[in-house]
Amino acid sequence: MSAYKAPVRDMEFIFNDVLQVQNSEILGYQDLDNEFLKSILNEAGKICSDILFPLNQVGDSQGCSLENGIVRTPEGFKEAFNKIREDGWTTIDCDTEYGGQGLPYILGTAIGEMMASSNMAFGMYHGLTHGAYSAIHAHGTDQQKSKYLPNLVTCEWTGTMNLTEPQCGTDLGLIRTKAEPQSDGTYKITGQKIFISAGDHDLSENIIHLVLAKIPGGPEGIKGISMFIVPKILVKEDGSLGERNKLSVGKLEDKMGIHGNSTCVMNYDGATGFLIGDEHKGMRAMFTMMNEARLGVGLQGYSQAEVAFQNATAYSKDRLQGRNFLGRSNNESPADPIIVHPDIRRSLMDQKSFVEGARAFTFWGAQLIDATSRSDDHSANGLISLLTPVVKGFLTDKGFEMTVQAQQIFGGHGYIEEWGMSQYVRDARIAMIYEGANGIQALDLVGRKLPQDNGKYILEFFALIAKFLKENGSQGENFQSDFLEPLSKAISDLQAAGEYFLKNGQKNPLNVLAGSNDFMHLFGYVCLGYMWARMAKSALNCLSSDTDDAAFYEAKLKTGRYYMLRHLPATSLHLARIRSGSECVMALEPDGF
Amino acid sequence: MSAYKAPVRDMEFIFNDVLQVQNSEILGYQDLDNEFLKSILNEAGKICSDILFPLNQVGDSQGCSLENGIVRTPEGFKEAFNKIREDGWTTIDCDTEYGGQGLPYILGTAIGEMMASSNMAFGMYHGLTHGAYSAIHAHGTDQQKSKYLPNLVTCEWTGTMNLTEPQCGTDLGLIRTKAEPQSDGTYKITGQKIFISAGDHDLSENIIHLVLAKIPGGPEGIKGISMFIVPKILVKEDGSLGERNKLSVGKLEDKMGIHGNSTCVMNYDGATGFLIGDEHKGMRAMFTMMNEARLGVGLQGYSQAEVAFQNATAYSKDRLQGRNFLGRSNNESPADPIIVHPDIRRSLMDQKSFVEGARAFTFWGAQLIDATSRSDDHSANGLISLLTPVVKGFLTDKGFEMTVQAQQIFGGHGYIEEWGMSQYVRDARIAMIYEGANGIQALDLVGRKLPQDNGKYILEFFALIAKFLKENGSQGENFQSDFLEPLSKAISDLQAAGEYFLKNGQKNPLNVLAGSNDFMHLFGYVCLGYMWARMAKSALNCLSSDTDDAAFYEAKLKTGRYYMLRHLPATSLHLARIRSGSECVMALEPDGF
C-alpha cells in the first residue's frame, strides 16, 4: 500500500548543480562524477525500496523482544542486515586502511537519508556502528584501531554509545558508572546505562559498547569522565572472540516508535573495559564526533518527512473526495482527487519545500564536514560547528511537524496503524529528543556556538549571505524579488536577534536563554531560505543552458518561491518573541505552577 | 507515577469572574451559585482523578479486543462506567423530562473536560451517547424520544454516529449505504460504515446507532441522505429488549491512540432502521448537533494539553539536571530542578497560557450554546456557528502541539510508554482528524461561516472586540499596553485578512481557500487573546477588591501577559501567508508532485 522511492534526481541536482561537488577542492570530491554518483545512488535506492522499506512496518508491529537475556530483532532484519553488509553499504565513507571505501562523507549522508527514510529503526544499527567506528578511529590507539575497526567497518560487529543513566541525561557530570583501574591496564566497569539504542540484538556476532564512566579519584563533574571500549564478547589477541564480558541487558524499553531498534537498559557488573583516549578526557572525545552524529539525527528528521510526503502525495492523487472548486477534474468519477483542493496543496507544498530545503542544507553540512576532515578547512569547521545545532534542532522539529501534516492528509486513515502514516510520526518524534534534546541544541547554539571565538563564526555566516546577496543581485528581476529580497529580510531578522542578545544578554543572560529556542528556529528558516536561493540560482542556470529536464528546474523555482513566501516570514515572529525578553518567561516563580 | 488533578479553581474563576454566569440572563444560570458549582466540580474531579485517570494507561496498553464478534473493553472500564452511571454524571445537562438534571450545558462542558483529561478514550463512550441523545432529542418523534432517551440519558444504552464509509469521509454525498422502505414504515439498512467510535463494547446492554443512509430514488448527493435509528438490539413496544438486529462488527481498528475506545467497522445487513427527522433531510439533522459535537472535540484537544502540562510541570520540579544559571537553587542536591531553566519555563508557559486561554474560550462557547438553546438568542447562535470551526480546529492543532512540548520536557523518558506522555500525544492526535478534519473546519470557516448572512457574524465579532477595547481603555496603563494594544493589533490583522479575502476572493476564490488554514489559526489566536484580555480584566477587578487569593490572580496576569507577548504575534505571520495568495500554492500542477 505504502511505498518509498529514493529521491535520486533531487540528490543529483544538489551534488552537481548546487554544491558542484566536482568543482570543489575537497579531497576525493573530484571522484564524484555524475555517472558514478548516479549509479551508486540508484543502487542504494533500490535496496532501500525493495528490502528495507518492506521491513519498516514489520519492525514497527513486531518490535524487538527480550528472551532469556537475548534480544531478537523483527523478522527479516537479520537477512537484510546481512545483505547490506555483503554489498558493502556499511563501508562507503570509512578509512581504506580498515577496509572502508574512503569515499566522502557527503555520499554516506545521501545513502544514510535513504536508509532512514525507508527504515529508520533498521538504519540505526548501522548508524550507531558508524559512530563507534568514528570514535575509535579518532581517539583509539593503533592497536585498538586494528583490533576493532575492520569488523565495525563491515558491521560484522556493531557499536553503541552509552552515556545516559537514570539520574543523568543532559547533565553528564552526574554520571555514577565507575571504572576501576586494574593492574593489567584494563578497567572494571560497574554501573547502569539506559536508553542504549541497539544495546543488544541478534544482527552481529559482537557488540562494541563505548561507555562513559568515572575513574575514582578523578575530577568532579564532566571533567572526570573517561570513555571506554567495553565489548560484549572480549576479543583475543589474535582477533578471535573470547569469553563473554560481564554485562547484560536489564530491560528492553517499550517506546512510542522505532520499535525495530532495541533500546536497552544495560547493566555493567565489573565488565572489562579499555580506556579510549586520555583519562578524564572522555567528553572531548565525545565532542569530536558530535557534528557528524547530530547531522545524522537532523537527517532522520527530514527523512521521515520525505517518506511521509511521498505517501501523502500518492494518497492525495488517489483519494476521490469533493469537487474541484474551479470545475470538475475527473468527470468519470463521482469525485475529484483531493490534490485539487487548495488546502491539500498548501500542505503538500509545505512538506515538499521543507524537505528539499532540508536535504540541501544537510548535504551542505556534510560538505563542510568533509572540508574539515579531508581538507583541514578551519573556516568550514567553525561554520559547521555553528550550524550543527540548527541542523539537528530545526530539521527534527520541522520534520516531525511535516510528518503530522502528511498524516493529516489521510484523514481517519492516517490514524489507523495499517496505513503506515502513524509510524512516521512516532518514529520522527525521537529525533527531537535523542543526541541532545532540542532545547539543549538551542542552548548549545546561543550559549557556546554564537559567542565562540568572539562571534567569529556567526559573523562569517552573515558575511557568506551578504556575499551571496551581492554577487547575485543581477540575476534578473524575479530572482531579486522572489528570492534575494526575502532572504535579505530574513537575514536582517537574524542579525537583529543577535544584536538583541548582545545588548541585553550582558544585562541579564536570561534574555538570551529565554530566546534560545526561537533563535534556533529563526536561524533554521534563514538557512533553508539561503539553500532555496542557491537552488533557485542553480535551477535558473540550468534552464538557461540546454536542458531536457526543464520541468524539474521549473518545479524547483515554484517550490522555492513557496518557501520564501510562506515559510520564511516566520523569522519575524521568532524575532518578536526573542525581543520580548525573559521577563514574561520567568515572571511566574516555580511555585506558581 | 503520573497524576491528574481537576483544575477546579481555574474553572470557578471562569464561571464566576470571567463569564459571571450568575449575572447572566440565560435560563438556569442563576442556579450556578458558587457553593453548588464548587461542590459538583470537586466531586467530578475526584472521580476523574481517582477512578478514570488510573484506567487511562490500562486502556492504552490493553486496548479493546474482538472475540467471536463481541468487543471487550479494557479491565476496569465496565466498573468505572457503572460508577459514572450510578452517580448520575451522564445526566447533568439532559432534559428533565427524560431523566436528566436539566443543568446548563456549560456545566456538562466543565465535567467533560475533566473526563477527557483523565481518560479521553473512556469519556468518549459517554460523549457519543450524549451526541445520539441530542440528535434524537432534536429530531425524534415523541414516541422515539420516550422509547430511547431515558436509557441514553442514564447510559444504560449508549449511542454512536455512523457517517463514514470506505469511499466517503468528508464528502458524504458519496454514501452508498441503502435504506429500503418496508411496508411497516421501517427501513432495511444495508451497507458498511467505518471508523465507528464505540461501535461495539461491553459497557451497556444496548447500543443505539444513528446511521446516515440513502433511500433509493431520492435526490443525488448529500441532498438524498436520511438519518436512521438502528438499535443493536431491537426495542419492543413495552421498552424491553427484543431480538438482535442484523448488524455486526466487521473489524476492530488498530489505531495510533485512544486504544481504550473501540473503533469499529460496522456491517449493516438488512438491519431494521427507523427514520429520524424527514426523509432526505439527514444532513440538516446532523448540522444541528454540530456546534456541540465540535466544541466537544476542541475540548479534547486542550484537555490532553492540560493533563500533559500537569505532568510536565511535576516532572520539571522533580528532575534534577544542570544548574540554575543565576546561582544554585538547590545546594543539597547535585543539580537543580529543571524548572529553573529558561527554556523549560518557556515551554511550560507556552502550555499554561494556551490551556487556560483555551478553557475560557471553550466555556464561553458553551455559554453561547446555552444562550442559543435556553434563551433563544439568535445573535449567540450566529456567533457560536462562526466560532465553532475555530474552537475545533485551533484548539486541537495547538492542543496537540502542546502535548508534544510537554512530552519534550521529559527528555528520553517522554518517549518511553511507561511514563505516559506518549499517550497524551497519541490520543490528542485524533482530535485534529475526526468530527471534520481540521482542513474541513478551515473550509467551513471561510467558505460558509464568514460569508453567512453577508458576513453578519464576523462583523458582530469585530464589533464585540471593538466594544471591549473601547469600554476598557481606562483600566489603567498596564492593562492598556499589556492587553488592549496587542489585542487591537491582532484584531486588525484578522480584519485585514478578511479584507484580503473580500477583495481577492471575487477575482479568484482560490485566494480564499489557499488561506483557509491560516485564517482559522489567525482567528484562534485572536479569540484566545480576547479571552486573556477578559481574564486579565477580571483578575484586576478581583485584586482591587478584598481577596485572599491574590497569588492566583497575579499568576493569571503573568500568564496572560506571556500569551500576549509570545503567542499573539503569530497573527502577523498568518496574515502574511494569507496575503501571499493562492498563486504560489497552486503553481505546481498535480503532475509536478
Side-chain angles (χ1 to χ4, degrees), chain B residues 120-132:
Chain B
M120 181 166 148
F122 178 93
M124 288 170 67
Y125 291 104
H126 165 241
L128 286 154
T129 305
H130 196 277

Side-chain angles (χ1 to χ4, degrees), chain A residues 182-195:
Chain A
Q182 305 297 303
S183 55
D184 62 356
T186 67
Y187 293 77
K188 288 279 166 248
I189 311 289
T190 305
Q192 188 177 65
K193 294 287 181 178
I194 62 171
F195 304 156

Side-chain angles (χ1 to χ4, degrees), chain A residues 27 34 100 106 126 189 218 227 233 320 406 460 540 543 550:
Chain A
L27 196 68
N34 194 38
I106 193 172
H126 165 242
I189 311 289
M227 194 196 280
I233 302 171
L320 307 177
E460 283 185 8
L540 284 169
L543 280 170

Side-chain angles (χ1 to χ4, degrees), chain A residues 169 321-322 407 415 426 429, chain B residues 169 171 321-322 407 415 426 429:
Chain A
Q321 208 77 180
Q407 181 188 31
Y415 202 65
R426 291 184 289 98
R429 183 68 185 87
Chain B
D171 190 350
Q321 208 77 179
Q407 181 188 30
Y415 202 63
R426 291 184 289 97
R429 183 68 184 88

Side-chain angles (χ1 to χ4, degrees), chain B residues 233-249:
Chain B
I233 301 171
L234 292 164
V235 182
K236 293 192 213 159
E237 284 309 309
D238 65 359
S240 66
L241 296 182
E243 62 183 309
R244 187 76 156 74
N245 207 347
K246 288 183 181 132
L247 58 94
S248 59
V249 181

